[in-house]
Amino acid sequence: AVAASLRPEPEAPMSSTVAVRNLKVGMFIRLELGWLSHPFPLSSFKITSVDQIATLRGLGLERVIWLPEKSDVDDGPSVPDGVTPAAAVPANAAAAERPPSDAERQAAERREQLAAQRQAMQQCEARYDEASAALRQVNALLNPNPVSAAQQAQALARAMLDKMLAEGELCIRLLSSQSGDRFTAHALNVTVISMLMGRTLGLGESELLDVGTGALLHDIGKLDLPTRVHHPEDAFSSTELKAYREHVALGVTRGRQMQLTEGALLVLAQHHELADGTGFPQRIALDRMTPASRLVALINRYDNLCNPGPRGIALTPHEAVSVLFAQSRSKFDLPVLSGFIRMMGV
């Protein structure tokens, strides 16, 4: 940590603006739009095709932020035909002509694979950060404009389906980083894994959007409770436990004010119900739980085991899945639990 503090801070890249009509492939740009207002996976990216330029023009923007230092646009003079730049001539031409050995070729392939993995992970992390910011905007709208908050939540679920779930394994790997506040991180963790599970199980698009919207909002009832009862503890009094469990009913009330779809609303109502009828608040069994609720109930429990409240003991993902399988098989939909274990690769 001391060594890290002694490192010089990297210089921020210089930026300017460029007219959309003058965009070129290779330019690195940043859109000053919310993640939900454009179809691109990230708000900052390098243009790689003319189709992207056409899409940008279709957004109705006049100018965008341009970062020349991160761009690959070559505006310099071209090299005349028949002239080889000195920098392009290897110091040892004979060595350059020698074909690489198998070991060299394998090492080069390994470097390329690692570089591609790092780039994909960085992009996944950036998408997670943008989704976190979008969810915080949803939460900020809950009191002044609940219907608008619901529309934003549905749009966020749609964007996550389109922009995040393609990199399923990477999305799962980055969830342990817990960037941002616990409330937002928990909602996103449950949403990402629940939607991945829903897609694996073959749910249709409308059901996936109900899963996503319901998972994003499943704990909104806690916003009406004191922070000290947001996470259950063994030392809770009966009054404190009752207050904690009240977040489900409070969330359903908010969900109705938001005019959520019936499928998303049932996720809020049933995300603490269990297959054997020992859950709360209605103590319903598996046959009365919706497919979306079965998913979210399982993933909610998993993330709470991995990332518990302030005084809880966090389990590793492997330990959490082992606990669910060994101690709670009767409490969750067994095909869903089995599919979840296969997906997580335990």
Side-chain angles (χ1 to χ4, degrees):
V2 174
S5 66
L6 297 176
R7 297 192 194 107
E9 290 292 327
E11 294 184 5
M14 297 180 62
S15 63
S16 57
T17 64
V18 60
V20 172
R21 66 178 180 275
N22 294 330
L23 290 175
K24 298 179 181 179
V25 172
M27 284 184 166
F28 192 100
I29 64 168
R30 183 171 69 243
L31 302 177
E32 294 191 305
L33 297 172
W35 198 52
L36 310 183
S37 303
H38 62 80
F40 299 102
L42 297 173
S43 297
S44 299
F45 59 94
K46 185 182 294 182
I47 299 174
T48 58
S49 70
V50 293
D51 289 339
Q52 289 179 330
I53 296 176
T55 300
L56 287 162
R57 290 173 179 168
L59 294 176
L61 302 173
E62 293 185 3
R63 305 185 72 83
V64 295
I65 302 295
W66 172 37
L67 286 79
E69 289 76 10
K70 301 179 73 172
S71 301
D72 291 330
V73 180
D74 183 9
D75 291 325
S78 59
V79 179
D81 291 341
V83 178
T84 302
V89 180
N92 188 337
E97 293 177 359
R98 176 180 60 82
S101 66
D102 289 344
E104 291 171 334
R105 189 163 50 249
Q106 291 173 0
E109 291 174 354
R110 179 62 177 164
R111 286 194 298 271
E112 291 176 1
Q113 291 173 354
L114 289 173
Q117 288 177 4
R118 281 194 295 269
Q119 183 180 18
M121 179 61 83
Q122 289 169 355
Q123 290 181 340
C124 239
E125 289 172 345
R127 293 175 202 175
Y128 187 93
D129 290 343
E130 294 202 27
S132 297
L135 181 54
R136 286 191 288 272
Q137 292 173 357
V138 170
N139 293 336
L141 285 171
L142 284 170
N143 285 328
N145 196 333
V147 174
S148 179
Q151 293 169 347
Q152 290 278 70
Q154 291 162 355
L156 177 54
R158 170 82 264 178
M160 292 176 71
L161 187 60
D162 293 339
K163 300 181 183 188
M164 287 189 71
L165 300 196
E167 300 286 354
E169 178 185 344
L170 293 179
C171 282
I172 293 173
R173 284 170 56 192
L174 68 85
L175 295 185
S176 62
S177 63
Q178 283 295 303
S179 59
D181 63 280
R182 163 65 183 158
F183 187 82
T184 300
H186 173 65
L188 281 181
N189 290 355
V190 174
T191 302
V192 169
I193 302 182
S194 294
M195 293 182 80
L196 283 169
M197 272 298 302
R199 192 177 62 181
T200 299
L201 295 174
L203 296 187
E205 182 174 297
S206 63
E207 288 178 298
L208 282 174
L209 292 178
D210 281 341
V211 169
T213 305
L216 285 169
L217 301 171
H218 74 277
D219 271 343
I220 56 171
K222 290 183 178 180
L223 298 176
D224 298 315
L225 293 172
T227 304
R228 63 182 177 81
V229 295
H230 280 193
H231 305 285
E233 297 178 12
D234 292 339
F236 267 6
S237 66
S238 58
T239 301
E240 289 171 322
L241 183 60
K242 180 180 178 182
Y244 161 73
R245 291 185 169 184
E246 190 68 18
H247 80 268
V248 176
L250 293 171
V252 171
T253 298
R254 279 187 174 268
R256 291 198 177 106
Q257 293 170 348
M258 298 169 74
Q259 300 178 17
L260 295 179
T261 64
E262 186 68 14
L265 196 61
L266 284 170
V267 171
L268 272 63
Q270 299 180 356
H271 73 276
H272 278 294
E273 302 291 352
L274 296 172
D276 61 0
T278 61
F280 66 89
Q282 295 182 300
R283 301 180 67 86
I284 62 174
L286 186 67
D287 60 339
R288 293 177 57 193
M289 295 176 65
T290 68
S293 299
R294 298 176 191 181
L295 284 175
V296 175
L298 171 63
I299 309 307
N300 179 56
R301 177 59 178 154
Y302 164 79
D303 192 63
N304 281 329
L305 289 171
C306 293
N307 303 293
R311 286 182 284 274
I313 299 175
L315 302 183
T316 66
H318 180 89
E319 289 170 341
V321 173
S322 298
V323 167
L324 289 173
F325 185 74
Q327 301 178 9
S328 306
R329 276 178 289 179
S330 65
K331 297 186 179 299
F332 299 101
D333 186 351
L334 190 54
V336 171
L337 178 58
S338 300
F340 172 66
I341 294 172
R342 285 195 301 271
M343 188 182 77
M344 298 300 285
V346 175

